[in-house]
Every structure is written in C-alpha cells, then in structure tokens.
Amino acid sequence: MTDWTQKQERFLQYNIPTRLGHLAANLARIKSFCDHVTPQDAVASLLKESLYFIEWTVPNMVQTDVDQAAELVELGRTLTRWLFSWDKIRTDSTALTQVQTEVSLWSERVLDMSGLLSESTALA
C-alpha cells in the first residue's frame, strides 16, 4: 500500500518543471508497460499515481500558465477514463494500441511543457 501523504509531501518539494518531468516519465512507463508482458496492476498503479501528480501540480500551475494547467486537467480526465476501463482496455488490442498512441503523445507534450529538455540543451 502506498503512503500517498508522504509521497505528496516529497513531490511538492520539487519545482513545477521537475514535477512535470516525473509525470512525463510515468506516462512513458505506461506506454512501455503496455508493450511488454507486465502485471496489469502495475499500469493501473501508474495511472493512479499520474492522476495524483496532476492533482498536486495543477493548483500551482494555474498561477503561471492557466492554459497548460487546463491541458493537464484534460489529461487527468483521459487517465481517469482509462483507469476505470482498464480491465476492458487491456484485453482489447485495438483499445490498448490507442492508449499507447495517446499516452506517448501526452508524455511528449508534458515533457515539452516542463522545459526540461530545452534547459538541458541550453546547458550543453
């Protein structure tokens, strides 16, 4: 069982770009786990954790970029639909492929929002 309070306290110590980086990494893991034989509860767990990451990040983002915060809320809605339909999705290859495609796009978008890649290239 995950201690969400401790996880939240630790997560909130990060700046917004780092939080978004963690969210993007989770989304990439979801895609990867769908590609491989992975216990399906691992994917559901990542979906749930990603929802928490969004919940803990959006309130701070609204102050600086309401449009990006709204995008994350939309991502949260998508992840919630997948989480509640996960048992059906994981047995339907077409639906699973659709999730993989969408989650990959979201991962790239969230990573772009974070600015982490542009920061690392600026330092190089």
Side-chain angles (χ1 to χ4, degrees), residues 3 5 14 17 26 30 32 41 45 47 49 53 64 68-69 72 80 90 92-93 96 115 119-120:
D3 182 350
T5 303
Y14 299 127
N26 263 17
I30 291 167
S32 177
D41 58 336
S45 177
L47 288 167
E49 183 178 67
F53 287 177
T64 57
Q68 286 186 349
L72 287 183
T80 299
R90 68 187 183 127
D92 179 342
S93 62
L96 194 58
E119 286 178 18
S120 66

Side-chain angles (χ1 to χ4, degrees), residues 20-33:
L20 292 173
H22 283 280
L23 176 58
N26 263 17
L27 298 173
R29 280 188 208 87
I30 291 167
K31 181 193 180 300
S32 177
F33 284 3

